Amino acid sequence: MDSRYLRAFVTVAETGGISAAAERLGYAQSSLSAQLRRLEQELGVTVVVRTSTGASLTDAGRRLLPYAREALEIDERMRSAAADSRPRLRIGAPETLAGEWLPDIVTALGYGAGGPDADAEISVVVGSRERLAEQLAAGELDLAFHFDDGSRTAGPSAVVGHEEVVLVTGPAHPLAGATEVTEADVLAADFLVAEPGCSSTVLYDRLSRDLPARSRAATAAGSLPALRRLAAHGRGLALLPRLAVVRDLEDGGLVDLPLATRPGPVAIEARWRRDPGQAEPTLRAVLRLARRHTTQLPPARGPRPQPSPGHRPYRLTHRHRPAAAPEPTGR
């Protein structure tokens, strides 16, 4: 039975007249009357009669009304289910990547940069490294990005790029005007971290393997924006990927400290489910865009700090460049 006939019938019952129902549905009165006649022909009974004040239901129409409403509800649910048939790709990332890096990739995907097969609904989850790992293992995420801390997992993974690590503070901090900052200077200051296990704590060993045990760390309310603001006010130092603070460095809200021994780049790693199902083409596209986008991050502006005598600068050689991420096999 055509759902248009049922909708015309229900609307007449709700409005109490043919003309009012036609106006609500955007039909001509003659078209709506024709739909009612076809409904009555299919049922073999009269369901609506015209009156001096509009229209009213017959006994058959009153019996039909609850079933007609139920049928229309089922029709709506079927249409919604069909419209939501696109596969879903659930991506997780820490706040440092989710705030400045991942949105560009998701936006590019939405504009078609992933190709015609990358047609999945994207949802993004922001969380700590430990929480994202749990969600990935539980099947609640399909793909997760994080900064490599040297740990390994049995699941599929790939390095999609590298990012520079910077030690920042506010322009009012005593170290902001130094021409060179040593490890001793760093240890005498307070470190700011968003929360235990956040990207900042993962990056600590970029300066010194035993730095976390020897430094003073202060938690900044579990929030990267709060951490940046506290650092900007000179409340401590923060070790972060440049992408997380590039705007603050450009506008002078934060200062990139001239470390005597600068930490090398940190790898951005992707981990994903073995069987992403119908979202696999979109997952492959996200990995490709991640590799491409990571190599196009904004370069550092202004003069670079000069290394101390005898310091060997880190150079990104072919051994360190991000390798092409293996395509998910679905196995």
Side-chain angles (χ1 to χ4, degrees):
M1 184 173 293
D2 195 321
S3 63
R4 292 175 300 173
Y5 306 163
L6 292 174
R7 192 172 301 280
F9 165 70
V10 170
T11 306
V12 168
E14 291 175 347
T15 61
I18 301 293
S19 61
E23 183 178 356
R24 176 186 291 186
L25 296 174
Y27 293 149
Q29 289 189 41
S30 58
S31 296
L32 190 136
S33 296
Q35 292 177 7
L36 290 174
R37 286 196 300 271
R38 293 190 184 100
L39 174 63
E40 291 175 333
Q41 288 170 1
E42 289 193 25
L43 294 173
V45 295
T46 300
V47 295
V48 175
V49 293
R50 290 182 179 270
T51 67
S52 59
T53 57
S56 63
L57 303 185
T58 65
D59 288 342
R62 284 189 287 272
R63 290 192 298 268
L64 172 64
L65 184 58
Y67 295 102
R69 285 174 169 155
E70 183 179 354
L72 289 174
E73 290 176 3
I74 293 173
D75 180 75
E76 288 295 329
R77 289 200 297 269
M78 288 191 300
R79 293 178 185 275
S80 298
D84 196 31
S85 60
R86 296 170 60 202
R88 177 175 298 177
L89 183 67
R90 300 159 299 176
I91 306 175
E95 193 174 8
T96 43
L97 291 174
E100 296 290 342
W101 180 77
L102 187 56
D104 294 340
I105 297 171
V106 173
T107 301
L109 193 71
Y111 281 119
D117 296 332
D119 184 26
E121 180 182 346
I122 303 295
S123 61
V124 175
V125 175
V126 181
S128 67
R129 181 188 186 90
E130 291 76 12
R131 178 56 181 156
L132 294 177
E134 292 173 359
Q135 291 176 303
L136 189 63
E140 299 172 3
L141 289 177
D142 303 299
L143 172 65
F145 292 103
H146 57 79
F147 292 107
D148 184 17
D149 66 350
S151 64
R152 292 296 172 256
T153 180
S157 64
V159 171
V160 296
H162 290 79
E163 173 60 14
E164 182 184 8
V165 178
V166 292
L167 185 67
V168 298
T169 191
H173 193 278
L175 293 178
T179 57
E180 182 178 84
V181 175
T182 65
E183 183 177 310
D185 295 327
V186 172
L187 289 172
D190 289 328
F191 259 97
L192 297 172
V193 297
E195 60 184 342
C198 69
S199 296
S200 294
T201 57
V202 171
L203 298 177
Y204 267 154
D205 65 0
R206 292 289 167 180
L207 293 180
S208 174
R209 287 289 176 182
D210 60 348
L211 181 60
R214 295 187 292 148
S215 62
R216 301 196 305 268
T219 301
S223 166
L224 178 61
L227 184 151
R228 290 202 307 260
R229 293 304 301 157
L230 286 171
H233 286 301
R235 303 294 295 179
L237 314 180
L239 190 64
L240 293 165
R242 180 174 288 276
L243 63 87
V245 292
V246 62
R247 291 180 176 84
D248 300 279
L249 293 173
E250 289 175 348
D251 64 21
L254 289 174
V255 177
D256 180 357
L257 294 178
L259 286 166
T261 303
R262 297 187 66 83
V266 61
I268 301 175
E269 187 177 42
R271 296 181 179 178
W272 60 89
R273 293 177 58 195
R274 292 187 182 277
D275 184 11
Q278 293 182 333
E280 183 174 328
T282 307
L283 192 152
R284 289 199 303 266
V286 170
L287 292 176
R288 290 195 301 270
L289 292 172
R291 292 194 297 270
R292 188 188 310 170
H293 181 56
T294 304
T295 62
Q296 297 175 351
L297 289 170
R301 296 190 177 184
R304 303 298 298 153
Q306 296 298 314
S308 58
H311 171 61
R312 298 180 60 188
Y314 186 101
R315 288 187 173 85
L316 195 61
T317 68
H318 69 278
R319 295 191 304 275
H320 304 98
R321 293 188 186 280
E327 301 289 356
T329 61
R331 295 190 297 271

